[in-house]
Amino acid sequence: MRVLFILTLFTSLHLMSDAQVTYHLDVAPIIHNTCAECHRAGEIGPMPFTTYEEVAAYGAFIEYVTSIGYMPPWSPDAEYSHFVGERVLSAEEIETISAWVDAGMPEGDPADNPGLPDFPDGSQVGEPDLVFSMSEAYTHEGNMEDQYQVFVMPTGFTEDVTVRSLEVRPGNGSIAHHAILGVDIEGTAQDLDAADPGPGYESFGDFGFEAYENFFGGWVPGTQTVVYPEGIGRVIPAGSDLLMQMHYGPSAVEESDQTEVNVFLTDGPIEREVTTGIMGPWTLGEPFFIPANQVKTFHGTFTVPVDLSLISIVPHCHLVGISWEVYATGPSGADTIPLISIPAWDFNWQGFFTFPTLTRIPAGYTLHGIATYDNTADNPFNPNDPPQLVMYGDNTGDEMFFVFYDYVMYEEGDEDISLDTPLLSSVEPMEQEAPSVRLQPNPASRQVQVLVHPRFVGQDWALVDLGGRLLESGVFGSPNERVLLEGIPDGVYLFHSPAGTERLVIQH
């Protein structure tokens, strides 16, 4: 196979030498398909690559960063698993760019240019139904320090609203490092905001309290916005506040930002609600710290209690981390489902990676997360010189071990449902049907009554925490099921069944 690849490449290079490579015929299709998504007006790329003049001005630079694999930014191993919006150049495409630069970057005939893709203005996916924005611009001091700032955006919703996509649109790409979305139903974030004199309030790592939703969505540079398939979505509760934690990177000059969130509504009721599972340091079975001058690998595991369909996956660590691998294995260990491999972790190019189709993880399978950290002087990104003990923490110089994964309860045929992002058009919100599952009371203390349609009698149910850990399970013996809650700590939980998913708040 390798010999065939080399012969094919040699043949293509030979043909290339006989006919001069030009921008419009040979290079423009590569730039349009892999670079212009970010490198165009209003997007995160620091310079546009939409015309011959713009690309030629950076020709030598483009040749260098593509030849070493730094651009286009894509950290997952494309031979391990695939994702929506992969930006991976072939060896032939890299050589085409190099041959063009070596030839003096000839322009060629403009009639050969295929033209830019039809990118939507102000969005990756279309016209939003609603736009939430920071109430005022935030100024990030030019003190070369990281800043985590939470901004509260009241929704004003008088009833629960279902959404099929949330798109973060950063106002200043030169300082916006990443954003995390959350939901608050208690008004706690507004109190924290009121106590801080500036726009928003400072909170490193999280929202400063246990929000109703702590990982409702997010953004990093180059991320392709996820649009959920029909019948699948997220719920923003009535009267809630949308939270946005912005991580602003170090800057030598004062910069301002006013980021927005585009909201796309579903065109009807949803059948399955998207949930975020979290594999964290509690799954390691050992204390999480990396001694100075050591390379250390951590292996987290988690057994999936019910059939899940994964939508996306997000490994996360900081500067000492150097690689990730996440996969699932069957009960016998024989069957392996590869999920993501990042052989060369780059903190500056993190991502929210969406699978091409819903990816099933059967009940009883074990999710594995393996991360390696290099806390030696050989790691050029090590924040400490000389190396120091690194422990868990929210600051960039600390470390983390997390795998976030969005999922829904599995249904037959999920493997055929595409997650590739279509262009959206604005739609009118529709009234939602009554839920198939009712929990009362909610919040509950010692027990909760579960009301379901008679057709679900005889089917399984499960109570899990937000990390996906199974707490209670059973079979519906009647349309009126009673579940005891004694011994379960206060918090927010999820009640899963074929009838749907409902949140349950436990307050003893």
Side-chain angles (χ1 to χ4, degrees):
M1 190 72 179
R2 180 177 176 82
V3 173
L4 178 61
F5 169 77
I6 293 174
L7 288 175
T8 302
L9 180 60
F10 177 80
T11 301
S12 65
L13 295 181
H14 178 71
L15 293 174
M16 197 181 297
S17 65
D18 293 338
Q20 187 182 51
V21 179
T22 68
Y23 171 77
H24 291 296
L25 180 63
D26 305 288
V27 176
I30 301 173
I31 299 296
H32 292 177
N33 291 332
T34 59
C35 307
E37 176 187 349
C38 296
H39 287 274
R40 57 189 172 94
E43 293 301 321
I44 194 68
M47 72 287 287
F49 292 152
T50 58
T51 67
Y52 166 74
E53 291 76 15
E54 291 170 349
V55 175
Y58 288 91
F61 174 74
I62 293 172
E63 178 191 16
Y64 174 70
V65 296
T66 55
S67 68
I68 64 173
Y70 185 73
M71 285 285 167
W74 189 256
S75 56
D77 182 353
E79 296 183 2
Y80 188 88
S81 59
H82 295 286
F83 299 96
V84 171
E86 280 185 351
R87 295 181 297 273
V88 180
L89 295 181
S90 67
E92 184 177 351
E93 289 173 323
I94 294 172
E95 182 54 38
T96 296
I97 295 173
S98 180
W100 175 65
V101 173
D102 290 345
M105 297 181 289
E107 180 177 3
D109 185 353
D112 293 331
N113 194 307
L116 281 169
D118 186 17
F119 295 115
D121 292 331
S123 169
Q124 289 182 336
V125 292
E127 184 71 23
D129 295 286
L130 301 167
V131 179
F132 293 116
S133 177
M134 296 160 50
S135 60
E136 59 182 301
Y138 172 78
T139 300
H140 181 45
E141 297 181 15
N143 55 9
M144 291 303 294
E145 292 184 2
D146 290 290
Q147 180 64 27
Y148 289 78
Q149 198 78 2
V150 178
F151 302 96
V152 184
M153 294 174 283
T155 65
F157 295 151
T158 57
E159 59 182 21
D160 292 357
V161 170
T162 55
V163 299
R164 56 176 167 171
S165 186
L166 292 166
E167 181 185 30
V168 177
R169 302 292 299 174
N172 187 340
S174 65
I175 56 171
H177 184 275
H178 74 256
I180 301 295
L181 299 179
V183 175
D184 179 23
I185 62 174
E186 304 288 344
T188 305
Q190 290 198 31
D191 293 339
L192 293 172
D193 191 4
D196 192 306
Y201 63 92
E202 182 180 74
S203 181
F204 284 75
D206 55 20
F207 296 109
F209 67 102
E210 187 64 28
Y212 180 67
E213 291 280 3
N214 286 292
F215 201 82
F216 202 64
W219 166 88
V220 294
T223 294
Q224 185 162 336
T225 302
V226 180
V227 181
Y228 302 126
E230 185 178 355
I232 293 175
R234 286 191 179 272
V235 178
I236 302 179
S240 61
D241 295 326
L242 191 63
L243 309 181
M244 180 174 65
Q245 184 213 60
M246 293 295 299
H247 175 192
Y248 295 115
S251 174
V253 297
E254 190 174 275
E255 298 272 4
S256 64
D257 170 67
Q258 191 165 9
T259 290
E260 297 180 336
V261 179
N262 290 339
V263 179
F264 300 85
L265 305 178
T266 64
D267 55 4
I270 61 173
E271 299 169 0
R272 290 183 286 175
E273 184 177 349
V274 177
T275 301
T276 299
I278 304 174
M279 172 182 281
W282 56 84
T283 65
L284 298 176
E286 63 174 305
F288 181 75
F289 64 90
I290 305 103
N293 302 307
Q294 286 191 21
V295 176
K296 191 167 183 178
T297 297
F298 292 94
H299 187 163
T301 59
F302 163 67
T303 301
V304 176
V306 293
D307 284 10
L308 305 179
S309 288
L310 299 190
I311 296 172
S312 59
I313 192 164
V314 184
H316 177 73
C317 60
H318 291 175
L319 297 170
V320 175
I322 59 172
S323 68
W324 271 100
E325 183 180 9
V326 185
Y327 58 93
T329 57
S332 65
D335 181 29
T336 298
I337 302 173
L339 297 176
I340 188 169
S341 171
I342 301 179
W345 169 262
D346 188 339
F347 180 70
N348 294 305
W349 290 114
Q350 301 178 52
F352 292 75
F353 302 105
T354 302
F355 296 102
T357 61
L358 289 174
T359 299
R360 182 190 181 192
I361 307 295
Y365 273 53
T366 300
L367 193 65
H368 300 261
I370 301 175
T372 298
Y373 302 80
D374 183 352
N375 192 13
T376 72
D378 293 333
N379 181 355
F381 302 106
N382 196 324
N384 300 310
D385 183 20
Q388 305 291 323
L389 171 68
V390 174
M391 302 183 69
Y392 176 87
D394 296 327
N395 293 321
T396 301
D398 301 322
E399 262 307 339
M400 286 187 172
F401 176 101
F402 283 109
V403 179
F404 303 94
Y405 51 97
D406 284 353
Y407 69 91
V408 291
M409 302 298 289
Y410 172 78
E411 289 185 1
E412 186 174 354
D414 275 358
E415 297 89 342
D416 299 323
I417 296 179
S418 173
L419 293 170
D420 208 355
T421 300
L423 294 181
L424 298 177
S425 59
S426 182
V427 296
E428 294 296 326
M430 297 178 62
E431 293 185 4
Q432 297 192 53
E433 297 176 352
S436 299
V437 181
R438 280 197 295 157
L439 306 175
Q440 57 185 40
N442 192 4
S445 57
R446 291 180 297 177
Q447 66 180 31
V448 62
Q449 188 178 27
V450 185
L451 304 178
V452 297
H453 192 279
R455 71 176 182 270
F456 297 114
V457 173
Q459 300 198 39
D460 296 334
W461 59 265
L463 181 66
V464 303
D465 65 14
L466 296 182
R469 287 184 289 269
L470 179 65
L471 302 175
E472 299 286 348
S473 63
V475 176
F476 289 123
S478 72
N480 188 342
E481 191 83 7
R482 187 179 67 169
V483 178
L484 298 179
L485 304 175
E486 294 180 1
I488 300 178
D490 290 0
V492 180
Y493 299 87
L494 299 175
F495 189 89
H496 292 310
S497 78
T501 300
E502 288 293 313
R503 295 183 182 87
L504 174 62
V505 179
I506 299 178
Q507 296 176 348
H508 293 295

